[in-house]
Amino acid sequence: MEASVLLDAAQTVFAQHGVEGSSLRAIARAAGCDPALIYYHFEHKEAMFQALLERKFSALLPDLESAVAGPRPLKERLAETLRVFARHLKDDAGFRALIRGQAVQGAEPIKTTLAAFLRRLQGLIWNLLEEGVASGELRRDLPVPLAGFFLVRTYLEMLDLFPAMGPHFLPMPVPEALERGEQAWIDFFWRGASAPEESR
Amino acid sequence: MEASVLLDAAQTVFAQHGVEGSSLRAIARAAGCDPALIYYHFEHKEAMFQALLERKFSALLPDLESAVAGPRPLKERLAETLRVFARHLKDDAGFRALIRGQAVQGAEPIKTTLAAFLRRLQGLIWNLLEEGVASGELRRDLPVPLAGFFLVRTYLEMLDLFPAMGPHFLPMPVPEALERGEQAWIDFFWRGASAPEESR
DNA sequence: GGGGAAATTCAACGCCAGATGAAATAGTCT
DNA sequence: AGACTATTTCATCTGGCGTTGAATTTCCCC
């Protein structure tokens, strides 16, 4: 049995119960094997979670690099960046909640893995925003690191919370809210970030 | 022993390990009592978590109501709303990660409690934003539910993620990042939400 | 078919968990 | 002091847990 089958099972169980709420026996049951096999492939549960993170991010980053590249208008590339997140993470709210839970209080090795990914992600976003500032499309005083944070984190919050909580507080069906929310956020972000007309 | 002592212990343990990763025996150890006492005060672990949520939100809502009231300028009241969140939640990142984890995949009773709180919170924020639209300060086409979401969730993301991950990706110390981030977000939000000059 | 390596299962250990009924202790009122 | 209620602990039950060494099975190559 390949490690990836175990990781598939782990992702399902982790997403539902969290890392600490998931037992290796539960993961083995989900994978259809003996718990001891997990120890053959991974040192311990946390190493398994780490491998999951790396698998997920390894799939995401190339698409991000494609999204920010090329001659298309800046706003469109920013929007495409968000859509890459949606494609990779949209159906993984439970897992994403887990990742940020680990970001807040996880073990140092996990934080280190997340940080390495964050720096690469940051680099892509910041370069894009700095390119916009240099070209005059974005305002000169835009705090690029913070703006990058706003761009991505607000959008990911929608992806996470609309499906789970949207029915309780959104005045429209969740799929419509996600679609309108995406466009609204891109427009809103653009208004917040773009240079005033008179300075172009 | 009052229930509130048990809830204090529960908050500490839940914040570190999550609801499922926290055992009643661990909470009892943190409180310095026998696990059976927890059953005397609460039906089960989830009921305990629910009581924690209600305790937290009961403390937060009155301050929010004060923050949005009064004759002060709209932008200042929006900013004060965010500061209320900071005062109540700033040192509770672990617990907040837990809350949103539960928002994403928690049991229905917990989601119902969260939803009830969200609706009250929404009501306050939306009224404030709608007041701004009516007065002409905010743009007429502002999607108020989505804008309210952006306002609060982006700020809470900073509160959660800057302390834990900021050293890995922010080009400044975390306390400074939080301070500048707060002001940057308020300004950014204002640019995204306010009406164009020519339509005032 | 045989040898060797890789993969998988089995059995076991000690410990922890949720939950409960009964017993003991503490507090309050008369 | 006694009655009663509230609080707290104790002991127990059943089931699950992480982890490991040994045994078994499977796979691959000659």
Side-chain angles (χ1 to χ4, degrees), chain A residues 49 53 96-108 110-111 114-115 118 153, chain B residues 97 160-161 163-166 168:
Chain A
F49 180 65
L53 288 182
R96 287 242 333 108
L98 178 61
I99 291 179
R100 68 186 306 292
Q102 294 295 316
V104 165
Q105 82 250 32
E108 278 313 302
I110 290 175
K111 281 180 167 173
L114 286 169
L118 269 175
R153 299 308 312 183
Chain B
D160 285 352
L161 294 176
M165 300 298 292
H168 295 289

Side-chain angles (χ1 to χ4, degrees), chain B residues 1 33-34 36-37 40:
Chain B
M1 181 179 288
C33 69
D34 193 90
L37 179 57
Y40 181 79

Side-chain angles (χ1 to χ4, degrees), chain A residues 62-125:
Chain A
D63 276 1
L64 271 183
E65 285 165 357
S66 296
V68 305
R72 287 166 299 149
L74 176 65
K75 187 180 179 186
E76 198 172 312
R77 282 186 282 155
L78 288 173
E80 181 59 21
T81 298
L82 301 184
R83 288 184 205 112
V84 169
F85 281 110
R87 284 202 296 278
H88 284 267
L89 301 173
K90 188 172 173 182
D91 297 316
D92 277 331
F95 187 67
R96 287 242 333 108
L98 178 61
I99 291 179
R100 68 186 306 292
Q102 294 295 316
V104 165
Q105 82 250 32
E108 278 313 302
I110 290 175
K111 281 180 167 173
T112 302
T113 297
L114 286 169
F117 167 73
L118 269 175
R119 280 195 281 276
R120 289 187 64 188
L121 168 62
Q122 294 298 344
L124 295 172
I125 305 291

Side-chain angles (χ1 to χ4, degrees), chain B residues 64 67-68 72-87 128 151 155 182-183 185-187 189-190:
Chain B
L64 270 184
V68 305
R72 288 165 297 151
L74 178 64
K75 188 179 178 186
E76 198 173 312
R77 284 186 282 155
L78 288 173
E80 182 58 22
T81 299
L82 300 184
R83 289 186 205 110
V84 167
F85 281 111
R87 284 203 294 279
L128 200 53
L151 175 71
Y155 186 67
E182 176 178 306
Q183 193 55 55
W185 174 237
I186 291 164
D187 292 340
F189 182 86
W190 192 255

Side-chain angles (χ1 to χ4, degrees), chain B residues 18-31:
Chain B
V19 175
E20 288 196 59
S22 302
S23 66
L24 288 173
R25 290 174 190 247
I27 295 169
R29 284 195 292 272

Side-chain angles (χ1 to χ4, degrees), chain A residues 1-2 25 32-34 36-37 40-41:
Chain A
M1 180 178 287
E2 300 210 347
R25 289 176 191 248
C33 69
D34 194 88
L37 180 59
Y40 182 78
H41 288 283

